[in-house]
Amino acid sequence: MRATPVWLQVRRLAALALGSLLVAGCAGMSPAAPPAPGQLLLASPDKLHGLPDAGRNWVISYASTTFDGANAVVVGQVALPRTRAPAGGYPVIAWANGSTGLAPQCAPSLVVNRERDAFLNAWVQQGYAVVRTDYAGWGAFGPVPDLHSRSNAENLADAVAAAHALDGVKLRPDWIAVGHSKGGGAVLWAAGLPDRSAGRYPLRAAIAIAPTGPGVLRFMDSVMRGEAVAVPALPFVSLTVMSAKAMNPAIDVQALASPALRPHLEAMGSACLSGLFAMPPLPPGPYLKPGAAYDAMARLLAAQDASSLTMRVPVSVIQGEKDETTVTPDTTAAMVRSLCARGATVQLKQYAGQTHRSVIGASQSDAFGFARTVLDAGRPASDCP
């Protein structure tokens, strides 16, 4: 008999913990109060997808909340360097992953991504503790509102708090949020939440790599108008529709999507992003239809854009020149201009020839430099006028 993977053991236990949270909220019952967001629930050695150069890897479950404020149990990962912790504890980066798909097996902790994994392993080599989250909704825990930026930011912060409760682990109380794509949008939200730059575990800075922002709605508007869609962006049409449906079940997908798109929408339930890229290309034509369903989706997407937030900490925004997804140089520049107008300290780095994914590794050196400046109590230079 094959051994049950560690991740599945932890997820099953986490499901039991979630059951206790739900029971605690039932009328007429009086168990202990549900754990507070950020409370560590379970921890086990991560033998499946830990970082190779880490001294110790854990997969954890912890209490957090869903996009609509309900109690949730979220799975995450923690990796520590091989080196001894400095006197103040290991410096911490918290990684917010990009979209990987919506099917249960597509949780970020289960998907191999060479660029991401090499990037995070390099942080461990540099002496950082790396905390990761799968976000609320993965596995058997409910629908996945993939693009809900504030919820993703809160889950990330709760993962950091949970990591501090691991036995024998000494971490600096402050931390830096680092994210890619939708995770880049999430760390900008973390930087814009007033309660995240203070308190017991204060956020010091954010590094947003190819962050989602105004480009998502602009992209979907172009799809609705029937404009050509670049191949690297095709799966994000279906992913965005189903993410909106998870946030608002009243959205009528049949009224929203053209018949040509529906097989791709159905595939979201069983295939990860890599599998969606392997599907036959969509025929030319509009894939989305105007109307009430589209308008409801558009309102949700506009609400996820961090452009209108006031950044409470310095941020580094990283953009690939050849990014052809919903994150383009033009839309990222527009977002940075908006953040600057609200008094932010923003470094904008654009990398020639780099795509949505390749820019992760290309930005490694600059990301290290930005983090060192912040943790040494320096003030990063700003590209805002």
Side-chain angles (χ1 to χ4, degrees):
M1 181 180 295
R2 296 179 62 185
T4 303
V6 171
W7 69 267
L8 186 54
Q9 296 174 31
V10 171
R11 286 174 186 276
R12 287 173 176 169
L13 291 170
L16 293 175
L18 176 63
S20 71
L21 292 181
L22 297 176
V23 168
C26 292
M29 308 190 79
S30 56
Q39 182 174 333
L40 178 67
L41 302 177
L42 298 163
S44 180
D46 187 351
K47 298 179 180 179
L48 187 66
H49 289 311
L51 299 178
D53 287 325
R56 297 181 71 182
N57 286 288
W58 289 271
V59 58
I60 64 172
S61 66
Y62 59 94
S64 193
T65 51
T66 62
F67 75 98
D68 53 359
N71 296 320
V73 174
V74 182
V75 172
Q77 296 161 280
V78 180
L80 294 187
R82 296 183 189 273
T83 54
R84 188 180 186 89
Y90 293 113
V92 178
I93 69 153
W95 173 257
N97 211 81
S99 296
T100 48
L102 301 180
Q105 76 277 14
C106 307
S109 62
L110 306 180
V111 174
V112 175
N113 179 314
R114 290 190 300 274
E115 291 89 350
R116 174 204 67 190
D117 296 345
F119 179 83
L120 296 178
N121 195 57
W123 285 95
V124 166
Q125 292 171 339
Q126 291 287 319
Y128 289 82
V130 176
V131 178
R132 296 184 267 176
T133 183
D134 274 359
Y135 310 114
W138 282 105
F141 309 147
V144 182
D146 196 61
L147 296 175
H148 198 282
S149 298
R150 178 167 188 150
S151 174
N152 294 342
E154 297 285 11
N155 296 158
L156 187 67
D158 289 338
V160 172
H164 281 268
L166 287 166
D167 288 340
V169 173
K170 187 176 183 181
L171 305 175
R172 279 180 58 143
D174 54 355
W175 56 290
I176 295 176
V178 187
H180 174 245
S181 195
K182 78 165 185 191
V187 303
L188 290 177
W189 267 85
L193 295 174
D195 56 338
R196 288 305 170 198
S197 57
R200 189 175 182 186
Y201 304 119
L203 177 67
R204 292 287 301 281
I207 300 172
I209 306 170
T212 53
V216 177
L217 181 54
R218 186 181 299 185
F219 169 72
M220 296 301 275
D221 283 345
S222 71
V223 172
M224 187 263 291
R225 293 192 297 267
E227 297 174 12
V229 178
V231 171
L234 276 173
F236 295 105
V237 179
S238 301
L239 187 144
T240 304
V241 168
M242 297 311 293
S243 176
K245 175 71 173 177
M247 288 186 264
N248 181 2
I251 290 177
D252 185 350
V253 173
Q254 296 299 311
L256 175 60
S258 70
L261 184 63
R262 290 172 193 165
H264 289 249
L265 296 176
E266 293 169 3
M268 294 298 307
S270 58
C272 297
L273 209 57
S274 58
L276 297 172
F277 277 113
M279 292 184 68
L282 289 166
Y287 310 133
L288 302 173
K289 295 179 282 187
Y294 185 87
D295 293 343
M297 180 184 69
R299 287 192 295 270
L300 283 172
L301 297 180
Q304 310 316 313
D305 181 8
S307 298
S308 61
L309 300 179
T310 298
M311 298 291 99
R312 311 285 173 161
V313 297
V315 300
S316 170
V317 176
I318 288 165
Q319 176 67 44
E321 180 196 27
K322 297 295 185 182
D323 196 326
E324 295 182 296
T325 63
T326 67
V327 183
T328 64
D330 286 347
T331 59
T332 294
M335 180 168 64
V336 168
R337 287 193 298 271
S338 181
L339 297 178
C340 288
R342 288 164 174 78
T345 296
V346 183
Q347 279 189 7
L348 174 60
K349 299 282 188 180
Q350 183 163 296
Y351 295 81
Q354 301 300 327
T355 65
H356 190 66
R357 282 181 59 163
S358 69
V359 76
I360 298 174
S363 66
Q364 186 91 68
S365 178
D366 287 329
F368 285 156
F370 182 83
R372 282 194 297 269
T373 297
V374 169
L375 294 178
D376 289 343
R379 187 74 176 176
S382 179
D383 291 317
C384 293

